[in-house]
Amino acid sequence: MDSNRLETIVTPDASPTADDPVARARALVPLLAAHGPEMDRRQELTPEVVDALAAADFFRLLTPRHLNGQALPLHVFAEVVEAVSMGDASVGWCINQGNVSVMSSATYLAPDEALALFGDRRSGLAWGARHGRARAVKTEGGYLVTGQWDFASGSRHAPLLGAHVPAYNADGSPKLGPNGKPEDRTVIFPKGQARINRDDWASLGLRATGSDTYEVEGLFIPDARAIVRDRLEDRRDRSPITCISSHLCYAAGFSGVALGVARASLETYKELARGKQARAGMTLMRDNHAVQMEIGLLEARLRAVRCYWLSSIKAAWDEAVETGAQSMDTRMAHRLATTHAIREATEISAACYRAGGTTSVLAKEPFERRFRDAMSASQHLQGGQWHIEMVGRHLLGVEQVPAFL
């Protein structure tokens, strides 16, 4: 049967229009797929891929227009990440991580600082996860930062690093925010000011993200580049996306990565089935009723979860545009859709891997790398089932302190 709308999802557009970022992303799929094995081996994006991403302006997809960015609606951005991930999951991961990090930082920086940091087409920011073992101690004009962080996805091509650090007064007491609770500072600095350990990044999948460990000791960060993120009353930019938390912006993109890998895996399964005869079978896979049934069901599952995912992100965006805020119901719906998409897409990718038989275990075949990428992406906090439990409590009216919304 003809795939109709599906064809526009899986087939790269050879002539993308300048004002269609999703078409530009699809046009990159052949390049990304061709460079995938080499990027996996090198554990970083190749220079050719970085150049192509910069040429397509994919490092400033969420950056506001006054900073030379594209200011994409969140659902369009999610589609871009999904399309890129059909070519290579690590590239999609880096695009999401970098763009949300830049946008959520620029929102709280003075405009001149944000422009200096992020105004260039090749600007980029990578950072690791927050933990309590680092310190940012207040000093005259800024903070002295000491700490080590890991999982800095995209750090090998990004010129800037950042970190989320518990803040302290000069006397060693925790620095308190307006709510009376200890606050963190997000600090931003040139990558050259950190010590980077490339030997720590040895992962099952998403290898080309180059998610290295880095550290600084007593690094001075001026006040202008030590900000508090996700405190909506402090926003310098009040555009619609800034009322959606960074947690949920990341969720929109990382779920797009999972869906992109699932789509690529399913298309590879179809291609294999058209020409392969299983050793224990009498016919081509395509003539096997069980294979026909499985492919039909996987197609239905993937289309269904994608529609649910995209409509939920679009609903959140529409509310942000109309009201400048996000209700708790909308945030819960966003969280449920993105977490479910990661989990469902992972199962689809795994089913495609299993269907490939011994072909799937060969490193020269795309099943193997995509399976590793899918499994690694599924382990991220964004895919945890406890998000779904939280939404369930919300739907049942159980009192709780919501997290990552």
Side-chain angles (χ1 to χ4, degrees):
M1 73 175 180
D2 291 334
S3 296
N4 299 324
R5 165 63 179 158
L6 180 62
E7 287 301 316
T8 68
I9 297 173
V10 303
T11 304
D13 187 341
S15 302
T17 59
D19 59 350
D20 186 347
V22 180
R24 296 202 307 272
R26 293 177 191 142
L28 288 176
V29 168
L31 172 71
L32 303 182
H35 281 253
E38 176 63 12
M39 292 190 293
D40 196 67
R41 186 190 68 78
R42 295 168 58 139
Q43 298 187 322
E44 62 183 333
L45 308 191
T46 58
E48 294 86 349
V49 166
V50 174
D51 289 345
L53 295 173
D57 209 8
F58 276 11
F59 296 128
R60 300 185 300 183
L61 293 170
L62 296 178
T63 305
R65 296 192 185 281
H66 69 270
L67 300 179
N68 303 324
Q70 297 186 56
L72 294 186
L74 185 59
H75 57 285
V76 178
F77 172 73
E79 284 194 275
V80 170
V81 175
E82 177 198 30
V84 168
S85 299
M86 293 177 199
D88 185 82
S90 290
V91 177
W93 195 272
C94 289
I95 289 297
N96 182 57
Q97 179 72 32
N99 274 281
V100 176
S101 300
V102 166
M103 179 277 296
S104 61
S105 298
T107 298
Y108 294 92
L109 289 164
D112 57 338
E113 287 289 341
L115 184 62
L117 290 169
F118 308 130
D120 186 76
R121 182 178 289 262
R122 288 182 173 268
S123 61
L125 172 63
W127 54 39
R130 189 262 187 211
H131 58 75
R133 301 183 302 279
R135 297 173 66 88
V137 180
K138 191 71 182 78
T139 188
E140 184 177 356
Y143 290 82
L144 296 175
V145 177
T146 298
Q148 181 185 82
W149 301 267
D150 50 17
F151 293 106
S153 298
S155 58
R156 297 193 183 183
H157 63 265
L160 297 169
L161 291 177
H164 318 299
V165 194
Y168 293 86
N169 296 308
D171 63 5
S173 61
K175 187 173 177 59
L176 304 182
N179 60 1
K181 297 181 179 180
E183 70 177 13
D184 290 352
R185 290 279 160 168
T186 292
V187 297
I188 303 170
F189 49 91
K191 181 168 59 178
Q193 293 182 341
R195 293 187 296 274
I196 300 176
N197 182 356
R198 291 194 171 198
D199 295 332
D200 280 357
W201 183 238
S203 63
L204 173 70
L206 296 175
R207 292 176 179 174
T209 60
S211 301
D212 294 327
T213 299
Y214 61 101
E215 62 181 306
V216 298
E217 184 174 355
L219 177 64
F220 176 76
I221 305 292
D223 284 324
R225 296 187 178 184
I227 57 176
V228 178
R229 295 162 59 250
D230 285 327
R231 194 156 73 192
L232 298 185
E233 62 271 22
D234 291 346
R235 287 176 293 166
R236 302 292 189 101
D237 176 14
R238 298 294 175 121
S239 57
I241 200 167
T242 67
C243 72
I244 303 174
S245 74
S246 62
H247 296 301
L248 292 178
C249 289
Y250 282 125
F254 287 141
S255 52
V257 173
L259 288 166
V261 175
R263 172 50 66 192
S265 298
L266 183 51
E267 293 307 306
T268 303
Y269 178 13
K270 293 177 190 176
E271 182 179 355
L272 180 71
R274 293 183 185 109
K276 180 178 179 178
Q277 179 174 330
R279 183 172 299 177
M282 301 297 293
T283 63
L284 292 175
M285 289 177 67
R286 70 179 185 184
D287 297 322
N288 183 298
H289 294 174
V291 171
Q292 295 164 359
M293 173 68 79
E294 181 176 49
I295 285 180
L297 290 174
L298 290 175
E299 187 68 55
R301 288 173 63 184
L302 185 52
R303 290 195 192 199
V305 71
R306 185 181 189 274
C307 287
Y308 169 46
W309 166 76
L310 194 57
S311 64
S312 298
I313 299 172
K314 176 67 161 55
W317 177 258
D318 289 344
E319 183 175 298
V321 171
E322 293 170 8
T323 70
Q326 296 280 275
S327 68
M328 182 59 70
D329 283 346
T330 296
R331 286 183 280 163
M332 287 287 182
H334 187 151
R335 169 56 67 197
L336 182 62
T338 52
T339 300
H340 176 66
I342 292 172
R343 299 177 72 83
E344 181 75 348
T346 302
E347 293 302 315
I348 293 169
S349 293
C352 294
Y353 177 85
R354 289 193 297 268
T358 54
T359 300
S360 295
V361 306
L362 301 176
K364 67 179 182 180
E365 299 291 342
F367 285 107
E368 185 266 349
R369 179 165 49 86
R370 287 178 181 143
F371 177 76
R372 289 190 286 103
D373 289 341
M375 294 302 106
S376 296
S378 73
Q379 296 302 108
H380 193 272
L381 174 148
Q382 297 286 358
Q385 68 177 15
W386 61 273
H387 290 305
I388 299 176
E389 295 171 10
M390 177 185 67
V391 176
R393 288 192 293 271
H394 175 73
L395 296 173
L396 292 170
V398 178
E399 290 189 11
Q400 63 179 327
V401 178
F404 297 100
L405 292 176

